[in-house]
Short mmCIF file of all heavy atoms in Angstrom, two decimals:
data_model
loop_
_atom_site.label_atom_id
_atom_site.label_comp_id
_atom_site.label_asym_id
_atom_site.label_seq_id
_atom_site.Cartn_x
_atom_site.Cartn_y
_atom_site.Cartn_z
N PRO A 1 92.13 94.47 126.33
CA PRO A 1 93.45 93.83 126.08
C PRO A 1 93.83 92.78 127.15
O PRO A 1 93.53 92.95 128.35
CB PRO A 1 94.41 95.02 126.22
CG PRO A 1 93.55 96.21 126.02
CD PRO A 1 92.20 95.95 126.55
N VAL A 2 94.39 91.72 126.71
CA VAL A 2 94.81 90.63 127.58
C VAL A 2 96.33 90.34 127.43
O VAL A 2 96.75 90.07 126.22
CB VAL A 2 94.09 89.35 127.28
CG1 VAL A 2 94.54 88.17 128.15
CG2 VAL A 2 92.51 89.53 127.49
N PRO A 3 97.14 90.44 128.36
CA PRO A 3 98.54 90.09 128.25
C PRO A 3 98.73 88.69 127.83
O PRO A 3 98.00 87.79 128.12
CB PRO A 3 99.12 90.36 129.68
CG PRO A 3 98.11 91.20 130.38
CD PRO A 3 96.70 90.87 129.82
N GLN A 4 99.75 88.44 126.98
CA GLN A 4 100.12 87.17 126.48
C GLN A 4 100.66 86.34 127.68
O GLN A 4 101.35 86.80 128.55
CB GLN A 4 101.16 87.24 125.43
CG GLN A 4 100.69 87.86 124.10
CD GLN A 4 101.72 87.80 123.01
OE1 GLN A 4 102.51 86.80 122.93
NE2 GLN A 4 101.86 88.78 122.20
N PRO A 5 100.21 85.06 127.71
CA PRO A 5 100.68 84.14 128.81
C PRO A 5 102.24 83.97 128.61
O PRO A 5 102.72 84.09 127.51
CB PRO A 5 99.98 82.81 128.51
CG PRO A 5 99.50 82.92 127.17
CD PRO A 5 99.26 84.34 126.84
N LEU A 6 102.89 83.64 129.68
CA LEU A 6 104.36 83.44 129.68
C LEU A 6 104.73 82.01 129.31
O LEU A 6 105.88 81.76 128.90
CB LEU A 6 104.92 83.75 131.10
CG LEU A 6 104.72 85.20 131.56
CD1 LEU A 6 105.33 85.35 132.97
CD2 LEU A 6 105.37 86.20 130.61
N ASP A 7 103.71 81.14 129.29
CA ASP A 7 104.00 79.75 128.86
C ASP A 7 103.60 79.61 127.44
O ASP A 7 102.65 80.23 126.92
CB ASP A 7 103.11 78.69 129.76
CG ASP A 7 103.58 78.76 131.19
OD1 ASP A 7 104.75 79.10 131.45
OD2 ASP A 7 102.71 78.51 132.09
N GLY A 8 104.29 78.66 126.74
CA GLY A 8 103.89 78.35 125.35
C GLY A 8 104.52 79.19 124.34
O GLY A 8 104.10 79.19 123.15
N ILE A 9 105.55 79.99 124.65
CA ILE A 9 106.21 80.92 123.67
C ILE A 9 107.06 80.09 122.72
O ILE A 9 107.85 79.26 123.20
CB ILE A 9 107.03 81.99 124.43
CG1 ILE A 9 106.17 82.82 125.33
CG2 ILE A 9 107.83 82.80 123.38
CD1 ILE A 9 106.97 83.81 126.20
N SER A 10 106.88 80.34 121.45
CA SER A 10 107.76 79.74 120.42
C SER A 10 108.00 80.80 119.29
O SER A 10 107.15 81.74 119.15
CB SER A 10 107.13 78.49 119.88
OG SER A 10 105.90 78.66 119.35
N TYR A 11 109.03 80.57 118.54
CA TYR A 11 109.41 81.52 117.56
C TYR A 11 109.41 80.93 116.13
O TYR A 11 109.94 79.86 115.93
CB TYR A 11 110.76 82.22 117.84
CG TYR A 11 110.76 83.10 119.06
CD1 TYR A 11 110.95 82.68 120.31
CD2 TYR A 11 110.37 84.45 118.88
CE1 TYR A 11 110.88 83.47 121.43
CE2 TYR A 11 110.20 85.34 119.96
CZ TYR A 11 110.50 84.77 121.25
OH TYR A 11 110.46 85.62 122.32
N ALA A 12 108.85 81.63 115.25
CA ALA A 12 108.69 81.21 113.84
C ALA A 12 109.72 81.92 113.07
O ALA A 12 109.49 82.98 112.48
CB ALA A 12 107.32 81.46 113.29
N HIS A 13 110.95 81.42 112.98
CA HIS A 13 111.98 82.08 112.23
C HIS A 13 111.71 82.10 110.77
O HIS A 13 111.10 81.23 110.20
CB HIS A 13 113.34 81.35 112.54
CG HIS A 13 113.69 81.30 113.99
ND1 HIS A 13 114.12 82.54 114.68
CD2 HIS A 13 113.62 80.38 114.86
CE1 HIS A 13 114.34 82.21 115.92
NE2 HIS A 13 114.10 80.88 116.12
N LYS A 14 112.22 83.15 110.07
CA LYS A 14 112.04 83.30 108.69
C LYS A 14 112.58 82.04 107.95
O LYS A 14 113.56 81.52 108.24
CB LYS A 14 112.81 84.57 108.19
CG LYS A 14 112.67 84.86 106.72
CD LYS A 14 113.39 86.17 106.39
CE LYS A 14 113.31 86.55 104.91
NZ LYS A 14 113.96 87.74 104.57
N VAL A 15 111.84 81.64 106.88
CA VAL A 15 112.13 80.51 106.14
C VAL A 15 113.30 80.82 105.11
O VAL A 15 113.25 81.92 104.39
CB VAL A 15 110.94 79.96 105.37
CG1 VAL A 15 111.39 78.77 104.46
CG2 VAL A 15 109.91 79.48 106.29
N ASP A 16 114.36 80.03 105.10
CA ASP A 16 115.47 80.21 104.23
C ASP A 16 115.37 79.12 103.10
O ASP A 16 115.03 77.98 103.35
CB ASP A 16 116.80 80.16 105.01
CG ASP A 16 117.97 80.53 104.18
OD1 ASP A 16 118.45 79.75 103.45
OD2 ASP A 16 118.41 81.62 104.32
N LYS A 17 115.78 79.58 101.85
CA LYS A 17 115.84 78.60 100.81
C LYS A 17 116.70 77.42 101.12
O LYS A 17 116.42 76.31 100.56
CB LYS A 17 116.28 79.32 99.54
CG LYS A 17 115.36 80.31 98.91
CD LYS A 17 115.88 80.84 97.64
CE LYS A 17 114.85 81.83 97.05
NZ LYS A 17 115.36 82.47 95.75
N ALA A 18 117.73 77.53 101.94
CA ALA A 18 118.56 76.44 102.24
C ALA A 18 117.83 75.27 102.98
O ALA A 18 118.26 74.12 103.07
CB ALA A 18 119.76 76.92 103.16
N GLU A 19 116.72 75.59 103.61
CA GLU A 19 115.90 74.59 104.36
C GLU A 19 115.11 73.73 103.37
O GLU A 19 114.42 72.69 103.81
CB GLU A 19 114.91 75.24 105.25
CG GLU A 19 115.52 76.08 106.33
CD GLU A 19 114.45 76.72 107.20
OE1 GLU A 19 113.74 75.99 107.93
OE2 GLU A 19 114.30 77.94 107.22
N ALA A 20 115.11 74.03 102.04
CA ALA A 20 114.20 73.34 101.16
C ALA A 20 114.61 71.90 100.92
O ALA A 20 113.76 71.01 100.56
CB ALA A 20 114.17 74.09 99.81
N ALA A 21 115.93 71.51 101.03
CA ALA A 21 116.36 70.20 100.69
C ALA A 21 115.82 69.19 101.63
O ALA A 21 115.93 69.26 102.88
CB ALA A 21 117.89 70.15 100.75
N ILE A 22 115.19 68.16 101.07
CA ILE A 22 114.59 67.05 101.85
C ILE A 22 115.66 66.07 102.40
O ILE A 22 116.55 65.68 101.64
CB ILE A 22 113.58 66.26 101.10
CG1 ILE A 22 112.40 67.16 100.68
CG2 ILE A 22 113.13 65.00 101.80
CD1 ILE A 22 111.45 66.45 99.68
N ASP A 23 115.60 65.81 103.65
CA ASP A 23 116.47 64.81 104.29
C ASP A 23 115.70 63.49 104.41
O ASP A 23 114.84 63.31 105.26
CB ASP A 23 116.94 65.24 105.65
CG ASP A 23 117.88 64.30 106.32
OD1 ASP A 23 118.17 63.24 105.74
OD2 ASP A 23 118.38 64.56 107.47
N TRP A 24 116.00 62.62 103.56
CA TRP A 24 115.22 61.31 103.53
C TRP A 24 115.51 60.44 104.77
O TRP A 24 114.81 59.39 104.95
CB TRP A 24 115.43 60.55 102.22
CG TRP A 24 114.96 61.33 100.93
CD1 TRP A 24 115.68 61.98 100.13
CD2 TRP A 24 113.58 61.43 100.64
NE1 TRP A 24 114.93 62.59 99.13
CE2 TRP A 24 113.55 62.26 99.45
CE3 TRP A 24 112.37 61.08 101.09
CZ2 TRP A 24 112.46 62.59 98.79
CZ3 TRP A 24 111.24 61.37 100.46
CH2 TRP A 24 111.19 62.18 99.29
N ALA A 25 116.46 60.73 105.48
CA ALA A 25 116.84 60.00 106.76
C ALA A 25 115.90 60.46 107.96
O ALA A 25 116.02 59.90 108.96
CB ALA A 25 118.19 60.13 107.14
N GLN A 26 115.03 61.47 107.65
CA GLN A 26 114.04 61.82 108.66
C GLN A 26 112.82 60.94 108.55
O GLN A 26 112.63 60.13 107.64
CB GLN A 26 113.71 63.27 108.46
CG GLN A 26 114.80 64.31 108.69
CD GLN A 26 114.34 65.71 108.48
OE1 GLN A 26 113.61 66.05 107.57
NE2 GLN A 26 114.77 66.57 109.42
N SER A 27 111.92 61.03 109.57
CA SER A 27 110.67 60.25 109.45
C SER A 27 109.88 60.72 108.32
O SER A 27 109.87 61.89 107.85
CB SER A 27 109.92 60.44 110.82
OG SER A 27 109.25 61.75 110.85
N ALA A 28 108.99 59.72 107.85
CA ALA A 28 108.16 60.14 106.67
C ALA A 28 107.21 61.26 107.07
O ALA A 28 106.91 62.08 106.19
CB ALA A 28 107.37 58.91 106.25
N HIS A 29 106.61 61.27 108.31
CA HIS A 29 105.78 62.37 108.68
C HIS A 29 106.44 63.67 108.67
O HIS A 29 105.87 64.69 108.22
CB HIS A 29 105.23 62.13 110.18
CG HIS A 29 104.35 60.90 110.28
ND1 HIS A 29 104.84 59.59 110.46
CD2 HIS A 29 103.05 60.85 110.27
CE1 HIS A 29 103.81 58.77 110.58
NE2 HIS A 29 102.70 59.54 110.43
N THR A 30 107.74 63.74 109.07
CA THR A 30 108.48 65.04 109.03
C THR A 30 108.70 65.49 107.58
O THR A 30 108.55 66.65 107.33
CB THR A 30 109.83 64.82 109.75
OG1 THR A 30 109.62 64.55 111.04
CG2 THR A 30 110.67 66.12 109.63
N VAL A 31 109.06 64.51 106.70
CA VAL A 31 109.27 64.92 105.31
C VAL A 31 108.00 65.46 104.75
O VAL A 31 108.03 66.50 104.08
CB VAL A 31 109.75 63.64 104.50
CG1 VAL A 31 109.73 63.99 102.98
CG2 VAL A 31 111.11 63.23 104.94
N ILE A 32 106.86 64.88 105.03
CA ILE A 32 105.58 65.24 104.39
C ILE A 32 105.19 66.63 105.02
O ILE A 32 104.72 67.49 104.25
CB ILE A 32 104.49 64.22 104.64
CG1 ILE A 32 104.86 62.99 103.75
CG2 ILE A 32 103.08 64.73 104.27
CD1 ILE A 32 104.04 61.73 104.13
N GLN A 33 105.31 66.87 106.24
CA GLN A 33 105.06 68.12 106.88
C GLN A 33 105.86 69.25 106.25
O GLN A 33 105.38 70.39 105.97
CB GLN A 33 105.24 68.06 108.37
CG GLN A 33 104.11 67.29 109.03
CD GLN A 33 104.51 66.84 110.45
OE1 GLN A 33 103.83 65.93 111.02
NE2 GLN A 33 105.55 67.37 111.02
N ARG A 34 107.12 68.96 105.93
CA ARG A 34 108.00 70.00 105.40
C ARG A 34 107.61 70.21 103.91
O ARG A 34 107.70 71.45 103.47
CB ARG A 34 109.52 69.48 105.46
CG ARG A 34 110.00 69.64 106.86
CD ARG A 34 111.29 68.97 107.00
NE ARG A 34 112.39 69.67 106.26
CZ ARG A 34 113.08 70.74 106.74
NH1 ARG A 34 112.84 71.28 107.91
NH2 ARG A 34 113.97 71.26 105.90
N VAL A 35 107.18 69.23 103.23
CA VAL A 35 106.66 69.45 101.82
C VAL A 35 105.53 70.43 101.84
O VAL A 35 105.40 71.37 101.07
CB VAL A 35 106.40 68.11 101.13
CG1 VAL A 35 105.59 68.31 99.89
CG2 VAL A 35 107.64 67.30 100.86
N ARG A 36 104.56 70.13 102.75
CA ARG A 36 103.44 70.95 102.86
C ARG A 36 103.81 72.42 103.32
O ARG A 36 103.20 73.39 102.85
CB ARG A 36 102.33 70.37 103.80
CG ARG A 36 101.77 69.07 103.33
CD ARG A 36 101.10 68.29 104.46
NE ARG A 36 100.11 69.15 105.23
CZ ARG A 36 99.91 69.10 106.44
NH1 ARG A 36 100.59 68.18 107.19
NH2 ARG A 36 99.02 69.94 107.03
#
C-alpha cells in the first residue's frame, strides 16, 4: 500500500442534468470537451 500524495487532489462531483446546456459564449475547446 502507498499513501496518496497530498498534492494534486481534485474532486469529480456528480454530473447533474442541469449542466447539459451548452454555453456558446465559452471557448470552442470547452464546448467540445463538454459534448464529449
Side-chain angles (χ1 to χ4, degrees):
V2 177
Q4 293 185 34
L6 298 178
D7 295 331
I9 297 171
S10 57
Y11 288 92
H13 300 289
K14 185 178 179 180
V15 174
D16 190 278
K17 288 183 179 180
E19 297 181 67
I22 294 172
D23 180 1
W24 295 104
Q26 293 181 319
S27 75
H29 291 87
T30 298
V31 170
I32 292 166
Q33 286 160 198
R34 288 171 65 84
V35 169
R36 292 166 51 215

